[in-house]
């Protein structure tokens, strides 16, 4: 089962969509295994993206693999401070964090309770499905945004529309139908523009780069 922060905020019940955001490399600068709130910094354009997404009245949910728990680099309790800092960063840019969900597992882990394969570690869709169950949103009307194809695969398998933020973090480029995003964008704010345009009755025209032009 996908794990979540025990202090996750609930969203209004209903079958509306949500925006699911990968954390490291997409929303935040990619600092491997970081759980120090002081070192948590938004990625370039992420502040603009949060302000844009906040206007859509959709739950904003962070979904993150956290193998550092299984690898013994930090304990589960360290993720409570991560959740608090994420909430602060969202509020600084006029947005509300509806939930922070994470997977603490890794098949090569050294901590017995978490050293295993699971259904919640991306690219599996279990964490996204668990978030939808807890917060009451429809994955088929939701967006998954991430910086690697594991994020894309998790979103596609869960039934979401998917956006790859191609900022250089994907290194393997193993492609198949599940690992093909609906859109490829250079940063999170460009991805947020696609989401905003997709909420219109008629999708906005696309540029040559594939980005929906905002109204």
């Amino acid at each position: 089962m996908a794990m979540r922060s025990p202090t996750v905020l609930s969203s209004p019940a209903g079958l509306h969509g949500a925006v699911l955001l990968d954390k490291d490399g997409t929303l935040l600068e990619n600092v491997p295994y970081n759980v120090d709130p002081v070192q948590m910094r938004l990625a370039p354009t992420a502040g603009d993206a949060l302000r844009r997404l906040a206007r859509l009245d959709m739950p904003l949910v962070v979904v993150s693999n956290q193998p550092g728990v299984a690898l013994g680099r930090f304990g589960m309790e360290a993720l409570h401070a991560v959740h608090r800092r994420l909430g602060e960063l969202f509020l600084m840019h006029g947005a509300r964090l509806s939930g922070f969900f994470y997977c603490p597992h890794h098949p090569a882990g050294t901590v017995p309770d978490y050293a295993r394969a699971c259904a919640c570690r991306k690219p599996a869709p279990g964490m996204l499905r668990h978030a939808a169950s807890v917060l009451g949103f429809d994955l088929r009307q939701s967006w998954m945004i991430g910086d690697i194809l594991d994020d894309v695969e998790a979103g596609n398998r869960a039934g979401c529309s998917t956006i790859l933020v191609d900022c250089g973090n994907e290194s393997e480029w193993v492609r198949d139908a599940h690992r093909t995003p609906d859109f490829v964008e250079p940063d999170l704010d460009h991805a947020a523009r696609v989401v905003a345009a997709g909420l219109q009755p008629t999708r906005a025209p696309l540029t040559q780069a594939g980005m929906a032009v905002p109204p």
Side-chain angles (χ1 to χ4, degrees):
M1 177 180 293
M3 300 299 295
R4 70 183 178 98
S5 168
T7 55
V8 68
L9 299 175
S10 61
S11 71
L15 294 178
H16 302 291
V19 180
L20 299 155
L21 300 165
D22 171 62
K23 183 169 76 71
D24 301 308
T26 302
L27 178 66
L28 302 183
E29 293 181 359
N30 193 16
V31 180
Y33 302 111
N34 178 55
V35 289
D36 180 0
V38 175
Q39 296 188 53
M40 291 173 59
R41 294 180 290 272
L42 291 176
T45 81
D48 292 333
L50 289 176
R51 285 188 288 272
R52 191 181 305 278
L53 293 172
R55 296 196 292 267
L56 303 181
D57 196 28
M58 298 173 71
L60 305 181
V61 184
V62 174
V63 287
S64 177
N65 288 347
Q66 292 294 312
V69 175
L71 297 172
R73 292 177 177 265
F74 51 82
M76 291 279 280
E77 66 282 352
L79 294 171
H80 300 169
V82 171
H83 182 195
R84 286 193 295 272
R85 182 55 179 160
L86 285 172
E88 292 169 357
L89 291 171
F90 274 59
L91 287 173
M92 287 170 58
H93 295 278
R96 176 180 179 270
L97 175 63
S98 292
F100 172 42
F101 294 76
Y102 50 86
C103 169
H105 308 113
H106 195 285
T110 58
V111 179
D113 286 347
Y114 305 107
R116 59 182 174 86
C118 64
C120 55
R121 178 176 168 81
K122 296 177 289 181
M127 179 165 31
L128 282 62
R129 291 172 176 165
H130 183 57
S133 175
V134 170
L135 297 179
F137 60 82
D138 186 351
L139 287 165
R140 295 168 299 178
Q141 299 183 55
S142 298
W143 294 81
M144 175 69 216
I145 305 175
D147 64 321
I148 61 174
L149 293 179
D150 279 0
D151 300 314
V152 170
E153 181 174 348
N156 283 336
R157 288 185 180 276
C160 303
S161 299
T162 55
I163 305 176
L164 175 69
V165 174
D166 186 11
C167 54
N169 292 335
E170 177 56 64
S171 59
E172 297 182 4
W173 292 104
V174 177
R175 303 288 288 270
D176 62 26
H178 289 300
R179 296 173 71 82
T180 299
D182 294 305
F183 297 90
V184 179
E185 300 300 333
D187 56 45
L188 188 55
D189 190 43
H190 280 81
R193 292 174 185 230
V194 171
V195 175
L199 294 178
Q200 304 303 316
T202 301
R203 185 180 292 277
L206 301 178
T207 68
Q208 290 182 345
M211 186 190 77
V213 179

